[in-house]
Amino acid sequence: MPELKSLREEQAEILKALYPSYKEEVYRRREQMMKLTAFACSFLVLLLVTMLTASAPSHPDVTTALFAVTGVALFSALFAYLILQQRNRHHMAKEALIEIERLLGLYDEGFYLEGKSLYPEHWQTDWLADRSVTVYLTILATLTVLVIASVLVRL
């Protein structure tokens, strides 16, 4: 309660104006991570199915296999990098959002609701335990290994 009152009116208005932008940024970065994962995994599944069902010669030369493996590895590495980049930006936006919420008194007991805070205290730290990026990268890595294995099996 004292934090918001100690802010000048102009500062409070700026925070209130920034809040929706940061909130949207947090959601947009999360969605971007999901879209990147979905696209990369869809492509890898398509590639895997194509590799396993194609009636191409069953023994490609080593050079072709090397290029295919390198291409798949680079593709997956690029998408892993992009996912991690979005995660880092998501974390920065989330930290800023939580700081704005603190300054606006959303975690202060009795400021908006009598006897309790508007937002639960644990919302400030729950996001730190989020393991979704680990799941995204694990699935991406697994599909990459399967595609590479399908190339190597044909040698």
Side-chain angles (χ1 to χ4, degrees), residues 48-143:
L48 181 61
V49 169
T50 302
M51 289 292 301
L52 295 175
T53 61
S55 59
S58 56
H59 298 293
D61 62 18
V62 174
T63 305
T64 303
L66 180 62
F67 279 124
V69 166
T70 303
V72 169
L74 286 173
F75 174 85
S76 296
L78 173 63
F79 273 85
Y81 171 78
L82 292 173
I83 292 166
L84 290 172
Q85 183 182 56
Q86 292 302 314
R87 185 221 35 207
N88 291 342
R89 291 177 180 174
H90 171 76
H91 281 186
M92 288 187 292
K94 186 70 175 179
E95 287 174 348
L97 179 69
I98 289 171
E99 187 59 31
I100 291 170
E101 290 170 348
R102 283 183 188 138
L103 290 170
L104 291 175
L106 300 177
Y107 297 104
D108 294 343
E109 187 175 310
F111 192 74
Y112 292 98
L113 303 171
E114 192 170 319
K116 64 180 188 174
S117 65
L118 189 59
Y119 286 0
E121 186 75 24
H122 65 87
W123 280 12
Q124 296 178 71
T125 56
D126 281 354
W127 65 278
L128 295 170
D130 181 28
R131 300 291 175 240
S132 59
V133 172
T134 303
V135 172
Y136 301 155
L137 294 177
T138 300
I139 292 169
L140 183 64
T142 302
L143 287 170

